[in-house]
Amino acid sequence: AREGSLVALVGESGSGKSTLGNCILKLLEINDGEILYDGKNIKNFSKKEVKKFREKTGLIFQNPYSSLNPKMKIKDILMEPLIVHNIQNEKRRIVMLNNIVKLTGLNVDDLERFPHEFSGGQRQRIAIARALILKPEFVVADEPISALDVSIQAQIINLLIDLKERFNLTYLFISHDLNVVKYLCSKIAIMYRGEIVEIGTTEEIFKNPKHKYTKLLLNSIPEIV
């Protein structure tokens, strides 16, 4: 993916989308092949390079109800990445904390509360804040709206777009919803049974799909037929 782009990874449940996303972030190891970041194979990274890589990348999980530690206050959840990556200056930590809270539509007062005190949409804002607090270059958003009420989904999508523009983020947006992908993404990769079967611009995929599975996906959505 080019810097600042928004690429979709689309496929049915169980096709391997989340596994691929975790491999790209080196949360799962691969035995064969290469995953290149800035021209370097992440498989060969040293411990120091892995830590730096983790600082430059972020992950937004699908389920905001299970991805936040229920025993931790929001300030501690957001502070954790800063501590892990040795950002020692306390003043700097507090500034970064307050900034990301405001940018994600939360309030400073929310920092003293626990996850169970928030709605699903607010919890996902917290999860997004955690993923972006270190100002990463590349973020994997793994079905970030599928567990939310439809009325909240548009708010989270608009937040992700706003943050992308603000930080010049590169997103890999994992989804099964082609309508959302059509609105959001400039490029789409179609995954079927653990393999990427087609890659193209959003316009190419929707206007001239080549693989039979891509055609099946498009034909299954009445709004697109």
Side-chain angles (χ1 to χ4, degrees), residues 103-122:
L103 288 173
T104 49
L106 300 166
N107 297 312
V108 174
D109 293 344
D110 293 334
L111 294 171
E112 295 297 329
R113 298 165 66 189
F114 290 90
H116 74 268
E117 299 179 65
F118 296 88
S119 67
Q122 291 295 96

Side-chain angles (χ1 to χ4, degrees), residues 3-70:
E3 184 178 343
S5 65
L6 213 166
V7 178
L9 179 62
V10 177
E12 63 188 355
S13 179
S15 62
K17 304 186 302 298
S18 295
T19 299
L20 179 57
N22 286 328
C23 288
I24 289 171
L25 293 179
K26 205 172 171 61
L27 298 174
L28 290 174
E29 294 294 335
I30 60 169
N31 295 320
D32 302 310
E34 293 182 326
I35 296 174
L36 301 179
Y37 188 87
D38 282 343
K40 294 182 179 179
N41 186 359
I42 68 170
K43 186 178 178 181
N44 301 326
F45 278 1
S46 64
K47 286 185 179 179
K48 186 177 180 181
E49 287 174 316
V50 168
K51 188 171 183 180
K52 193 67 179 175
F53 174 70
R54 296 261 165 82
E55 189 175 341
K56 290 181 177 181
T57 57
L59 173 61
I60 302 168
F61 293 93
Q62 175 179 357
N63 192 337
Y65 292 94
S66 61
S67 65
L68 302 176
N69 188 330

Side-chain angles (χ1 to χ4, degrees), residues 133-161:
I133 194 166
L134 291 171
K135 297 182 179 179
E137 301 171 343
F138 174 66
V139 175
V140 173
D142 188 1
E143 300 262 16
I145 63 169
S146 64
L148 304 177
D149 291 342
V150 174
S151 59
I152 304 298
Q153 289 181 357
Q155 295 178 22
I156 298 301
I157 287 172
N158 289 333
L159 174 62
L160 291 171
I161 293 172

Side-chain angles (χ1 to χ4, degrees), residues 83-188:
I83 294 170
V84 168
H85 290 281
N86 300 319
I87 296 173
Q88 300 291 349
N89 187 308
E90 188 174 349
K91 286 185 178 180
R92 187 180 172 202
R93 287 183 187 176
I94 292 170
V95 168
M96 294 173 77
L97 203 65
N98 290 338
N99 283 345
I100 200 65
V101 163
K102 291 173 185 175
L103 288 173
T104 49
L106 300 166
N107 297 312
V108 174
D109 293 344
D110 293 334
L111 294 171
E112 295 297 329
R113 298 165 66 189
F114 290 90
H116 74 268
E117 299 179 65
F118 296 88
S119 67
Q122 291 295 96
R123 290 188 200 195
Q124 197 61 305
R125 289 177 185 271
I126 295 164
I128 291 169
R130 178 181 58 187
L132 299 187
I133 194 166
L134 291 171
K135 297 182 179 179
E137 301 171 343
F138 174 66
V139 175
V140 173
D142 188 1
E143 300 262 16
I145 63 169
S146 64
L148 304 177
D149 291 342
V150 174
S151 59
I152 304 298
Q153 289 181 357
Q155 295 178 22
I156 298 301
I157 287 172
N158 289 333
L159 174 62
L160 291 171
I161 293 172
D162 178 61
L163 293 169
K164 174 189 174 298
E165 298 301 322
R166 187 179 293 271
F167 293 123
N168 192 34
L169 291 168
T170 304
Y171 280 121
L172 176 65
F173 189 88
I174 298 174
S175 181
H176 64 273
D177 191 331
L178 281 166
N179 279 333
V180 171
V181 164
K182 185 178 183 182
Y183 170 71
L184 271 180
C185 304
S186 57
K187 194 172 184 179
I188 300 174

